[in-house]
Amino acid sequence: MPSRPSDLGAGARHAAARGCAFLLSRQDAGGSWHDYELEPGSSDAWITAYAGLSLLRDRASSRQADHAIRRAAAAIWRLRQPGGWGYNARTAVDADSSAWCIRMLAASTSRGDLDAEGVLAPFLTDSGAARTFISSDRFGSWAAQHAEVTPAVGLALLAAAAGRPSIARVRRAVLDAHSADCGWPAFWWTTPAYAIARNLAFLAQPGGISAHIADQETGRLSRQAAPGSAFECAESLAIARHVHSGRATALLAALLDMQEPQGSWPPSRVLCVPAQHDRALRTVHDDCRRIFGTATALNAIRLCLDAAA
């Protein structure tokens, strides 16, 4: 892989085009994408929203991408359950899936009946933090507040132009959850990189990332060993771009080297599902269809290209 910035930029553009083509080729006839294989099956609504959002920047220049986004939005509307969206039709509505679906719909359609606050408010604690599920009696630890879900809810509220008080509460919760030890703790992932990247993405929008947090996360990146998976590399790259770390160039080069011939990135075994009432027991899963990891890599590469532009 070339190391000169101009060559790296050309490589990034080429990789993004190939990643986009891979995702477009994997959309099903109903407009959905599917990934992971958990006990209730593969995910549809969450994955469709996540993949669709990664293609939004191609919409203006690609008729195929525009068509795919329209089909994905229609699929998400069909997948809606009373109260929001779940991992799939066999699971309960959750804050994370609902947040990603709301973001996708807010960005891709003009329908005004999203009611983002109505859907997401029940998942917010008094402090403004978000829990993935509502009932602790039913879901145990899955109904505790989760640092990777709170910013997803905040980004959805921003996308849907929700009221400022709600967004301010979420921002306060995100800031309160940050620690020097781990940044933001992971619950649903084996690596904190996802939680850190999501929280920085949210903070960058409503009020900016403080110098204090940027310095701490820059230092964390400088001490970090080489990422152990394509997913972690992509999220570390996103973190580096958000805090303007000098590691971004090396991380981008590493991520480009990981791209597979068909345009995807290899599966990463990082999605963690703790037992509801015993967090020490858990199962770990990979994105077996390569949709989630490829969309994650595509998002990180686009951050770099946007910064260069």
Side-chain angles (χ1 to χ4, degrees):
M1 182 59 60
S3 58
R4 288 180 294 135
S6 58
D7 293 339
L8 197 60
R13 289 189 293 274
H14 181 58
R18 293 171 59 216
C20 175
F22 173 82
L23 291 178
L24 291 172
S25 73
R26 296 305 193 272
Q27 189 177 30
D28 70 19
S32 296
W33 284 275
H34 302 260
D35 212 342
Y36 293 104
E37 281 297 336
L38 308 186
E39 185 177 346
S42 63
S43 177
D44 46 26
W46 169 47
I47 297 298
T48 299
Y50 194 88
L53 280 167
S54 74
L55 296 174
L56 280 175
R57 298 179 192 181
D58 299 287
R59 191 174 196 180
S61 58
S62 167
R63 184 175 299 178
Q64 187 180 4
D66 179 66
H67 182 56
I69 289 165
R70 292 176 185 274
R71 293 172 59 226
I76 290 170
W77 280 116
R78 291 195 302 271
L79 292 165
R80 185 171 185 172
Q81 304 177 42
W85 290 263
Y87 170 86
N88 64 25
R90 293 183 292 280
T91 62
V93 167
D94 69 81
D96 195 58
S97 299
S98 296
W100 284 102
C101 289
I102 287 169
R103 281 186 67 189
M104 173 63 180
L105 293 174
S108 60
T109 71
S110 58
R111 286 177 58 169
D113 53 351
L114 270 175
D115 188 22
E117 291 196 78
V119 171
L120 297 173
F123 296 95
L124 293 177
T125 65
D126 291 342
S127 68
R131 49 199 168 199
T132 308
F133 294 92
I134 295 174
S135 171
S136 58
D137 290 339
R138 178 180 176 187
F139 293 106
S141 63
W142 295 5
Q145 58 190 51
H146 300 132
E148 59 261 83
V149 179
T150 301
V153 169
L155 286 165
L157 292 171
L158 280 168
R164 290 185 180 181
S166 297
I167 295 168
R169 283 177 60 217
V170 174
R171 180 177 172 85
R172 184 71 260 162
V174 164
L175 292 171
D176 289 344
H178 184 262
S179 74
D181 292 335
C182 64
W184 286 272
F187 180 84
W188 295 107
W189 304 91
T190 61
T191 166
Y194 177 89
I196 294 171
R198 294 291 77 70
N199 279 278
L200 291 175
F202 171 68
L203 290 177
Q205 291 202 36
I209 300 167
S210 70
H212 175 67
I213 287 178
D215 287 346
Q216 288 193 335
E217 295 311 321
T218 299
R220 195 185 320 283
L221 271 180
S222 69
R223 299 186 298 272
Q224 178 181 289
S229 65
F231 175 85
E232 190 171 7
C233 186
E235 293 293 44
S236 296
L237 175 57
I239 293 166
R241 286 309 322 156
H242 283 305
V243 299
H244 308 292
S245 166
R247 285 202 68 185
T249 299
L251 287 165
L252 175 59
L255 186 62
L256 298 186
D257 280 341
M258 293 178 187
Q259 191 172 28
E260 298 179 320
Q262 69 268 43
S264 63
W265 274 263
S268 299
R269 195 172 178 80
V270 291
L271 177 63
C272 174
V273 182
Q276 295 174 351
H277 301 287
D278 186 354
R279 190 176 172 185
L281 301 176
R282 65 179 190 173
T283 58
V284 182
H285 307 267
D286 63 19
D287 50 318
C288 53
R289 293 177 176 83
R290 295 171 165 81
I291 302 301
F292 193 87
T294 297
T296 302
L298 192 55
N299 288 333
I301 291 170
R302 294 273 171 67
L303 279 176
C304 294
L305 293 174
D306 287 350

